[in-house]
Amino acid sequence: MFKTVPRLVRSQGNLLKGIFGKGGEKEAVKHLTAEEQESLRKTLPSIRARESTQVQVPSESVTDFDDDIFENRIDQDSIRARGFLKYTQSYTPSNEVKNQVLKTASECLQKAGISSENVEQYKFVEGDNSLKFELINRLGKSIKHWPTNGKLLHLETVADVVKFYEEPVKNITKYTEMARDETKPKNVSIMEQAVRFHPEDTHMYHGGITAFPGSGGEVISLRQKRLLRQFQPKKEWFDYDDLTFDYSRPDKSMPWDPEVAKQMDKYTDKRYNLNTKQFTRIKQ
């Protein structure tokens, strides 16, 4: 005898189906083949990873602020590339870039009064860079990608120009590329940026309490000053009793301040005046 009702229900598998549905019929169970099981086993980890990191955001809550975050990330890559990499902007060639270069080269040759049966094999005249300048200038304005000074010397034919514009360019290092790679093994962890201490980050594991009181908070590199946060550390004993201590550094309004630097990058025809703390237009 069954002492409780739940035990009776568990023992009779088709009891509820017989009351509320078709009790005598059994549902057909589809068994996966060996190939389907292997394919599912390979795709399950990526699906679980996406489900764990994906955040559902209502469409009405998405604003222009998300676009600003994406633009700031691009600016950070270009700032890090200045004076360190050859190119400050990434470039991905299109499928029609070869036809575009050949068409522009044909127009430049026709404008200069030069006839050539094979435009791609045309060689620029040594000592006369007018045709090369016209071609590179038109392509640079339309494609938004320019060769470096060292690369200009090796562009001897139109085929060299085609080869240059068919090569993709990245403004990040190999380390950053590996850190952003989502297909790296699970046992490999690469941090793109170092975790820096800041006393206002009370939500972090350190709770805003430093292990080196009276020191830290300064960024030495001028390039990194535009990207990383700084703070004024508590050096005196009475600073620790001040509940409203200001962690802002004295050089808050300097050109390497991220807020000021962001405006400087937007307005290339203006210069920041340290005395007036304002931007003045450059006379050209």
Side-chain angles (χ1 to χ4, degrees):
M1 294 298 292
F2 299 96
K3 297 181 180 180
T4 59
V5 175
R7 291 186 180 181
L8 175 61
V9 174
R10 292 193 191 101
S11 62
Q12 302 295 332
N14 296 327
L15 177 61
L16 295 178
K17 293 183 180 180
I19 298 175
F20 299 102
K22 299 179 179 179
E25 298 180 1
K26 294 184 178 180
E27 297 181 358
V29 180
K30 182 181 178 181
H31 296 282
L32 299 177
T33 62
E35 296 179 357
E36 292 176 345
Q37 292 178 2
E38 183 66 22
S39 177
L40 182 61
R41 190 180 297 106
K42 292 181 179 179
T43 56
L44 270 179
S46 60
I47 296 175
R48 291 169 179 170
R50 286 197 300 266
E51 290 179 352
S52 61
T53 56
Q54 188 175 6
V55 179
Q56 298 293 336
V57 180
S59 57
E60 59 271 7
S61 64
V62 179
T63 60
D64 296 336
F65 183 73
D66 299 332
D67 298 336
D68 295 339
I69 294 178
F70 183 71
E71 293 296 333
N72 289 338
R73 180 176 180 180
I74 297 178
D75 293 338
Q76 288 183 4
D77 291 341
S78 62
I79 290 174
R80 288 193 175 93
R82 293 176 185 175
F84 185 71
L85 299 177
K86 291 184 178 180
Y87 299 95
T88 58
Q89 300 293 336
S90 298
Y91 167 71
T92 303
S94 61
N95 298 330
E96 301 295 332
V97 66
K98 182 177 181 180
N99 298 333
Q100 184 177 357
V101 173
L102 294 178
K103 181 180 178 181
T104 307
S106 179
E107 294 176 357
C108 292
L109 290 175
Q110 185 178 1
K111 182 179 179 181
I114 301 174
S115 59
S116 178
E117 297 180 357
N118 192 350
V119 178
E120 189 173 358
Q121 298 300 327
Y122 176 80
K123 186 175 182 180
F124 300 108
V125 180
E126 295 184 2
D128 186 11
N129 297 324
S130 58
L131 182 60
K132 183 193 292 187
F133 172 79
E134 180 68 19
L135 176 61
I136 298 299
N137 187 36
R138 293 181 61 176
L139 291 174
K141 290 181 179 179
S142 59
I143 304 179
K144 305 300 181 182
H145 182 52
W146 304 81
T148 59
N149 294 336
K151 191 67 175 179
L152 286 173
L153 181 64
H154 301 283
L155 299 179
E156 299 179 353
T157 62
V158 178
D160 296 336
V161 180
V162 173
K163 182 180 179 181
F164 168 75
Y165 279 100
E166 286 181 340
E167 295 178 355
V169 172
K170 295 183 179 181
N171 62 344
I172 57 177
T173 60
K174 289 292 184 180
Y175 178 86
T176 305
E177 187 177 353
M178 289 189 298
R180 297 181 182 179
D181 187 10
E182 298 181 355
T183 61
K184 57 179 177 289
K186 294 183 179 180
N187 60 341
V188 177
S189 178
I190 303 176
M191 296 180 60
E192 181 180 352
Q193 300 178 9
V195 179
R196 294 179 56 87
F197 170 81
H198 198 280
E200 294 181 352
D201 295 340
T202 56
H203 61 281
M204 295 291 290
Y205 61 91
H206 49 70
I209 302 175
T210 178
F212 306 96
S215 62
E218 183 181 3
V219 179
I220 305 300
S221 173
L222 292 177
R223 182 188 291 110
Q224 297 298 330
K225 279 185 177 182
R226 302 176 61 177
L227 304 174
L228 303 177
R229 295 184 301 168
Q230 302 187 85
F231 66 91
Q232 182 71 17
K234 295 181 178 181
K235 296 185 178 181
E236 304 296 338
W237 63 268
F238 48 81
D239 292 338
Y240 293 90
D241 295 335
D242 188 3
L243 300 179
T244 60
F245 183 80
D246 188 11
Y247 291 101
S248 302
R249 294 191 62 84
D251 52 0
K252 172 65 177 175
S253 301
M254 293 294 105
W256 47 79
D257 182 28
E259 298 179 0
V260 178
K262 185 177 180 179
Q263 300 180 28
M264 294 174 66
D265 294 338
K266 288 183 178 180
Y267 305 101
T268 56
D269 58 341
K270 294 183 179 181
R271 182 175 298 172
Y272 187 76
N273 193 335
L274 294 176
N275 298 326
T276 60
K277 309 297 182 186
Q278 294 179 354
F279 290 91
T280 57
R281 190 175 299 276
I282 303 175
K283 297 181 180 181
Q284 297 180 352

